[in-house]
Amino acid sequence: MELIKVESYSELSEIAADFIIKRIKQNPHLVLGLATGGTPKGTYQQLIQQYKQGNVSFQNVKTINLDEYVGLPTSNPNSYRSYMNENLFNHTDFQLSNIHLPNGNALNMEEECKRYDSLLEEVKGADLQILGIGRNGHIGFNEPGTPFQTKTHIVTLADSTRKANARFFDHIDEVPTHAITMGIQSILSSDEILLLAFGEDKSEALYQLLNGAIHEDFPASALRTHKHVTIVVDSHALSKVFISSN
Ligand code: GLP
């Protein structure tokens, strides 16, 4: 794993956006795995700015999002479809037909998981997958205890995850109890992974990720088995990590 240390959130966002744009310039038909949450918002703002300045086009980029809440109408501002529209798609030239998210309102969720897996197989996984990390080590919505070989599946969200995400809702009772998420195996099938982590409240998660055991109790530890992971991270998130100089 390669670490890129940053001093500020704006630096994290600029570095992450430049990293993505570089990959798009190398391959305009890039399959880009996208994440939600607070951390990548600045990166998406940077992508929008670079697009408006004419430095990048997303015309031929295909996107596959990690996850979606179950049972939240797509029109709800907290659905990940709305989040992606608001924070990125509506302000750029991504083509609707190239945008893919799991459907959290499908009539048959088992079929929806299969549909998403077929799509992931068709594109042979993401060329570049963007990831955040939950405080309990979740990636996508793969909560602790998820087997590493899992493909797209329905999860019951951990109480701690619902609490962490309640800040985006009016009340914690409005946070859905379930989500559909790409599995850990699907995430690991990406050619390259860019994980973004910022701030003190990610310090325990970064410690577990970099110094802890590779175990299903800490889903993000699966990333240590991947050959091409870059982490953009600030000093506060790294405050508990022991980094060997070798
Ligand atoms: C959510 C998302 C994850 C994200 C995590 C951390 O639960 N499903 O993909 O990585 O939150 O979010 P934040 O960046 O807001 O800390």
Side-chain angles (χ1 to χ4, degrees):
M1 293 198 193
E2 192 193 337
L3 290 189
I4 300 177
K5 293 181 212 160
V6 296
E7 295 302 322
S8 64
Y9 182 66
S10 56
E11 192 187 355
L12 175 141
S13 304
E14 278 164 28
I15 287 178
D18 287 350
F19 193 103
I20 296 166
I21 290 170
K22 194 171 165 196
R23 294 296 180 271
I24 293 172
K25 291 204 164 148
Q26 287 164 343
N27 174 13
H29 289 85
L30 194 81
V31 178
L32 181 60
L34 293 172
T36 52
T39 313
K41 279 189 180 177
T43 303
Y44 297 152
Q45 276 166 17
Q46 286 294 324
L47 291 179
I48 293 168
Q49 202 176 313
Q50 296 274 353
Y51 163 73
K52 289 194 169 155
Q53 288 168 355
N55 297 331
V56 64
S57 167
F58 304 103
Q59 187 93 26
N60 296 309
V61 175
K62 195 173 265 190
T63 68
I64 44 174
N65 262 80
L66 283 168
D67 47 14
E68 177 61 283
Y69 288 116
V70 167
L72 209 57
T74 49
S75 57
N76 185 304
N78 279 308
S79 75
Y80 285 167
R81 167 65 79 163
S82 286
Y83 170 107
M84 290 310 307
N85 287 344
E86 283 302 311
N87 288 291
L88 184 64
F89 298 149
N90 287 352
H91 313 284
T92 50
D93 63 346
F94 280 100
Q95 301 296 295
L96 190 57
S97 58
N98 285 337
I99 289 170
H100 304 280
L101 282 94
N103 177 3
N105 293 292
L107 287 179
N108 183 332
M109 291 304 292
E110 257 175 55
E111 285 302 317
E112 177 57 14
C113 292
K114 284 187 198 153
R115 180 192 74 84
Y116 213 62
D117 280 337
S118 305
L119 174 78
L120 292 170
E121 272 162 38
E122 209 176 288
V123 299
K124 299 188 180 67
D127 294 314
L128 173 63
Q129 175 66 57
I130 311 304
L131 283 185
I133 183 167
R135 288 147 196 79
N136 63 359
H138 71 244
I139 46 175
F141 266 134
N142 292 285
E143 297 284 22
T146 308
F148 287 169
Q149 65 274 18
T150 312
K151 293 187 175 184
T152 304
H153 62 125
I154 306 297
V155 293
T156 303
L157 297 176
D159 284 346
S160 61
T161 300
R162 291 185 67 239
K163 269 186 205 142
N165 288 355
R167 69 191 194 278
F168 300 115
F169 292 77
D170 288 337
H171 193 274
I172 188 159
D173 291 346
E174 291 174 19
V175 183
T177 53
H178 291 79
I180 174 169
T181 183
M182 238 188 235
I184 293 178
Q185 190 187 104
S186 330
I187 294 172
L188 293 178
S189 72
S190 316
D191 285 344
E192 187 174 11
I193 293 172
L194 181 66
L195 184 136
L196 312 177
F198 186 77
E200 170 69 31
D201 65 338
K202 295 292 168 74
S203 59
E204 182 59 32
L206 264 288
Y207 166 74
Q208 289 295 337
L209 171 61
L210 296 170
N211 296 143
I214 299 178
H215 195 276
E216 287 165 2
D217 286 346
F218 193 80
S221 66
L223 300 175
R224 299 236 305 272
T225 68
H226 193 280
K227 62 185 186 325
H228 203 175
V229 178
T230 304
I231 304 176
V232 189
V233 59
D234 75 318
S235 57
H236 298 288
L238 279 181
S239 57
K240 293 186 178 160
V241 171
F242 169 75
I243 299 171
S244 127
S245 50
N246 299 318

